Amino acid sequence: MAQTSSRDPIADRRSSGTPRAFGRVAPRRADGDDRVYRAIHEAILDHRLPPGTRLAEIALAGLFGATRTVVRKALARLEHERLVELRANRGAVVASPSIDESRHLFAARRAIECAIVQALSLSITRAQARELRALVREEVSAYRRGEMRQGLKLSIAFHRRIAAMAGNTVLCEFLDQLVARTPLVLLAYRGPQGHAACTDDEHSAITEAIAAGEGDRASRLMSAHLDAIASQLRLADEDPATDLATIFAGKRIR
């Protein structure tokens, strides 16, 4: 895989604080834990930290040259955003979303992002339309170069940028949390094709519908887009009988 840039494509387009959880009071943030928090947060978004990965405080403190207190604060922030689970006497692990939680996450994203594109279609400027088209072109170029990680970052940036342009800060903050949790679902339940992600042609179609002021069409396209991602995942409940039949297939029980 080609070497990718570590720059955050969102940071080039806007200046914003760390996403806050919706409807909850975020823990007090100390400046010293920002570097550890952002590094782990980005690794989750990049699909480099799969669900269930143990996050040992001592190891992280050594890697980042930080104290365990600083690491503990960073992990608490990530736990508040449901990206990390803090387990009694077992330490921290990357969160493992359940099937129901994963379904609910995509349902919430559909409701929020369809509302967002509807709103943006009524207010989008020519400059904003140019920016979205440029972002999609960057995404296409990254994937064509085989830079999957950079393409993924740009895909995430596309969804976040649309929300920021729409101007509803509450929906934007809520969506930030959902987008950050989506990679955990993709890694936990990806189907046999091994990779579930946004496609740039769908992003392009959504952009053009928004630019044309066609809110209903943009909403339908966004809903279909998120449904297409979810359909690539194994979110059906397991059938124990089927699992046992598979395990013991061809075996004679004596």
Side-chain angles (χ1 to χ4, degrees):
M1 181 180 296
Q3 184 67 31
T4 61
S5 168
S6 62
R7 292 178 61 188
D8 183 348
I10 304 173
D12 294 337
R13 294 173 170 78
R14 64 172 176 159
S15 174
S16 65
T18 305
R20 296 190 298 277
F22 179 77
R24 306 164 74 190
V25 178
R28 181 179 178 83
R29 298 174 181 177
D31 292 339
D33 69 300
D34 276 348
R35 183 167 57 93
V36 179
Y37 165 85
R38 293 183 186 281
I40 298 174
H41 191 280
E42 183 176 346
I44 291 172
L45 283 180
D46 283 354
H47 291 200
R48 287 180 283 129
L49 277 177
T53 302
R54 187 165 178 267
L55 301 170
E57 288 182 9
I58 295 176
L60 290 171
L63 286 170
F64 293 106
T67 66
R68 291 184 66 181
T69 299
V70 166
V71 170
R72 198 172 295 122
K73 289 178 179 178
L75 293 175
R77 289 172 61 182
L78 292 161
E79 190 271 341
H80 181 78
E81 295 175 7
R82 300 185 182 179
L83 297 178
V84 163
E85 296 173 3
L86 300 179
R87 300 174 177 175
N89 302 319
R90 296 178 59 188
V93 297
V94 177
S96 299
S98 67
I99 288 177
D100 280 345
E101 183 182 354
S102 301
R103 289 173 178 154
H104 295 163
L105 186 147
F106 272 98
R109 283 196 61 174
R110 278 192 294 273
I112 292 170
E113 295 197 65
C114 287
I116 284 172
V117 296
Q118 281 271 13
L120 182 56
S121 297
L122 298 175
S123 63
I124 191 167
T125 66
R126 290 181 179 179
Q128 288 174 328
R130 286 195 298 270
E131 183 181 344
L132 288 179
R133 290 180 180 119
L135 182 52
V136 172
R137 286 195 298 271
E138 287 182 58
E139 182 187 2
V140 172
S141 179
Y143 281 127
R144 286 179 178 173
R145 294 192 305 268
E147 298 178 359
M148 302 302 293
R149 185 172 297 166
Q150 181 67 5
L152 178 62
K153 285 185 177 181
L154 291 163
S155 175
I156 292 170
F158 174 81
H159 287 268
R160 284 177 157 174
R161 194 66 191 117
I162 285 177
M165 286 180 176
N168 187 319
T169 57
V170 173
L171 287 182
C172 188
E173 289 172 0
F174 193 16
L175 181 62
D176 263 343
Q177 185 193 42
L178 295 175
V179 168
R181 292 165 63 189
T182 299
L184 297 178
V185 175
L186 301 184
L187 287 172
Y189 299 107
R190 55 189 170 187
Q193 72 280 1
H195 182 70
C198 298
T199 61
D200 45 62
D201 57 331
E202 291 174 356
H203 284 176
S204 180
I206 292 167
T207 296
E208 294 311 316
I210 294 171
E214 299 177 3
D216 289 343
R217 183 163 70 94
S219 180
R220 288 195 300 272
L221 288 169
M222 179 62 78
S223 180
H225 172 53
L226 294 172
D227 284 344
I229 298 172
S231 71
Q232 299 174 52
L233 304 174
R234 292 174 168 171
L235 294 180
D237 293 316
E238 295 284 342
D239 181 350
T242 301
D243 289 342
L244 289 174
T246 301
I247 292 170
F248 295 113
K251 303 291 184 181
R252 177 175 294 179
I253 307 299
R254 296 183 180 182

